[in-house]
Amino acid sequence: MLPKILVVDDDRYTRTLLEQMLRTSAYVHLASEGDEARRLFATHDFNLVLMDQRLPSHQGLDLLREFRAQRPRMVAILMTGFADVRDAVAAVREGLFDYLTKPFEDLEALEAVIGKALEIDAAYREIDTLRSCLAKASGAPMVVGQSAAMARLLGQLQQVAGLDTTVLLEGESGTGKDVMARYIHAHSQRANQAFLEVNCGGLPESLLESLLFGYEKGAFTGAAQATAGYFEKANGGNLFLDEIADMSPKLQSSLLRVLQDHSFCRIGSTLRRSTDFRLICATNRSLAGEVKAGRFREDLYYRINVVAVQLPPLREREGDVFRLAVHFLELFNAKFGKQCGPFTPAALACLEAHSWPGNVRELQHCIERVAAMQPGGVIDAVHLGPGCSLQMAPASPTLTPSAAELGYQEARASFEQAYLKGLLEAAGGNVSEAARLSGIPRQNLYVRMKRWGFVTDS
């Protein structure tokens, strides 16, 4: 379904330009003044509002504040003349997605900004849809992401979830292997039975053994009563063993026998008990490499490596960073009782430029820290903190105090030079990365940088 865009501008040329540019990719509704915009806004669920700052009898910013009071997550872009850029920058600090200066000289850059705004709106709606589905499917985890890598992953998980076979989840730390294990459980034939999770790397051998096998009264000091273990409790359901590569050789041997015989004995007992659970394993290391190094049993490896699924790192999930950031921000706003956000374009560019070596877990902790430390309001690049090396993208540009004293062309040139210099520094001198951060097509950006001597043909 095509998105709906409301364009509010008293200039017929601007309305016509935007309508022609967007007509193939969106349903465009036009308004030339504030009251007409109010009527359209009241009767349509717009994905994006493009608002001129100077309207007959209205200020665009005031109208946008009115609209946002009705729909707090409304995504909007202010269109303004160069002289009003100060107000536009202030509006971004209030939660406006971005601003555009008129006249429009680079239509490709204009389309890029609008496209990014529509992606943000789509992220909000995607999260709402996922939450609605979760309300109907009790126990299913919320999996956020629309990247090609995540589409492939979810396709694999859906295919294997209904099959009663062992699954091995491999991937870097923080990629969400525990979430995917619960996803498999929620879509399996055992979804109405138990789902038990054990981190094999976080427990000493004796404690992990008693947790898995259970024990009889008096089996060891402190065993005051007979206790069922996870092999017993998981009967009929799914058992998730996280970081299985950290399991000791002794327990590897014990686990292999349980999988072969579908039976076990509690510690301190000779009575064999039957069990029927589906095993899901996870590791952040290469089990094949662990086998080769002699740290993991080869026979157990073949037993659990029936269906292996590789989870992609966050850096390979193109477009998912800002979706996850929006999702986590909403979660922590609810948890802390705050109203932080939305993210400014500079903050989003900063988040997407980071490599996220800690993957989704690192991003989650970053957003939690921001929500905990900020009293409220928009989140800019400077709020993301130096701990994650996120200061890569330029903050939203502002005018220098002397800019108001310059003529229009001189001020515009000064602004462009300062912005492009900061952008190139933020991208480490890489023009392609600078183009990605700015949303400006690389060829157009290269021409502009060459004009000011920031790059050469050599």
Side-chain angles (χ1 to χ4, degrees), residues 138-141 157 161 178-196 236-240 278 280:
S138 178
L157 295 183
D178 55 336
V179 175
M180 298 310 161
R182 288 192 292 271
Y183 184 91
I184 292 173
H185 171 72
H187 292 82
S188 72
Q189 298 174 2
R190 300 171 181 257
N192 294 326
Q193 303 299 317
F195 174 79
L196 298 177
N238 289 287
L239 176 62
F240 174 46
R278 192 253 193 96
I280 305 171

Side-chain angles (χ1 to χ4, degrees), residues 394 413-427 434 438 440 444-452 454:
S414 176
F415 173 85
E416 184 173 284
Q417 280 184 281
Y419 175 76
L420 294 179
K421 181 180 179 181
L423 183 66
L424 195 60
E425 290 175 354
S438 65
I440 300 174
N444 294 7
L445 186 65
Y446 184 86
V447 170
R448 293 184 180 191
M449 288 185 169
K450 183 179 178 182
R451 179 191 307 162
W452 300 115
F454 297 138

